[in-house]
Amino acid sequence: MLYTKQREEIVKEAMEWMNTPYRGWSRMKQFGADCIGFVAGVFVNTGHITDAEAEAAIPKSYSLQHGQHEATTEYVDGILKFMEEISESEVRPGDVVMFKIALAYSHSAVVVKWPLILHSMAHGGVKLADAKKSPLLAGKPARFFTLESGR
């Protein structure tokens, strides 16, 4: 379970990624990141996971259109390497939400204060969004995750 201070550090780090341009297969603050790279980068930079854990969690063969064409669980399987699934009622700042886009849960974001999230989009890079009002995300199935106990 994350303590309030740890959650604040995660959200602060995520906010520092604002306006980082979108760049597929990347996780570099201010240079570029896709959605999964952004989430991994935030947790690496706050010391909650290692570079090696981040690399192991990101599917090696994913395409940027992954969720449109494949009903796989690659993203969820990756995030479960260092996070535990929780219910929407349990979600707090610093947790992660993953949205089902087309066929797969393939778009991830850091929760600022649910439903306010930070996520990386192909058009615009890392931005704040209200997940319940965003045209891309509103009404999409979502799953929620928090860091494993002891991290």
Side-chain angles (χ1 to χ4, degrees):
M1 168 177 24
L2 288 172
Y3 296 103
T4 300
K5 183 176 188 225
Q6 292 169 305
R7 291 179 178 284
E8 290 169 355
E9 290 169 355
I10 291 165
V11 171
K12 180 179 183 275
E13 173 65 23
M15 295 296 284
E16 290 176 6
W17 287 67
M18 279 281 273
N19 299 316
T20 293
Y22 182 87
R23 186 180 204 85
W25 303 282
S26 182
R27 60 179 174 94
M28 297 176 65
K29 182 168 43 175
Q30 304 307 318
F31 178 70
D34 58 17
C35 67
I36 194 85
F38 161 63
V39 169
V42 166
F43 284 91
V44 167
N45 289 359
T46 55
H48 292 290
I49 65 172
T50 66
D51 268 327
E53 288 173 312
E55 288 300 315
I58 298 172
K60 300 294 178 256
S61 62
Y62 80 95
S63 78
L64 300 178
Q65 295 79 30
H66 167 80
Q68 296 172 5
H69 306 293
E70 298 178 50
T72 66
T73 61
E74 284 181 303
Y75 283 121
V76 173
D77 294 344
I79 208 100
L80 286 171
K81 291 181 189 225
F82 59 92
M83 302 194 104
E84 302 170 326
E85 192 160 5
I86 57 174
S87 69
E88 183 175 359
S89 65
E90 296 173 291
V91 72
R92 296 180 52 207
D95 288 335
V96 170
V97 58
M98 197 169 272
F99 297 94
K100 187 175 187 180
I101 306 294
L103 300 177
Y105 284 89
S106 58
H107 183 66
S108 54
V110 174
V111 174
V112 175
K113 183 178 180 185
W114 184 248
L116 187 62
I117 60 168
L118 270 164
H119 65 143
S120 184
M121 297 292 301
H123 301 288
V126 177
K127 299 287 183 199
L128 280 169
D130 182 323
K132 300 215 177 203
K133 295 179 182 173
S134 165
L136 174 72
L137 305 173
K140 300 283 188 209
R143 293 173 72 177
F144 302 90
F145 304 87
T146 195
L147 279 174
E148 291 176 332
S149 299
R151 283 194 177 262

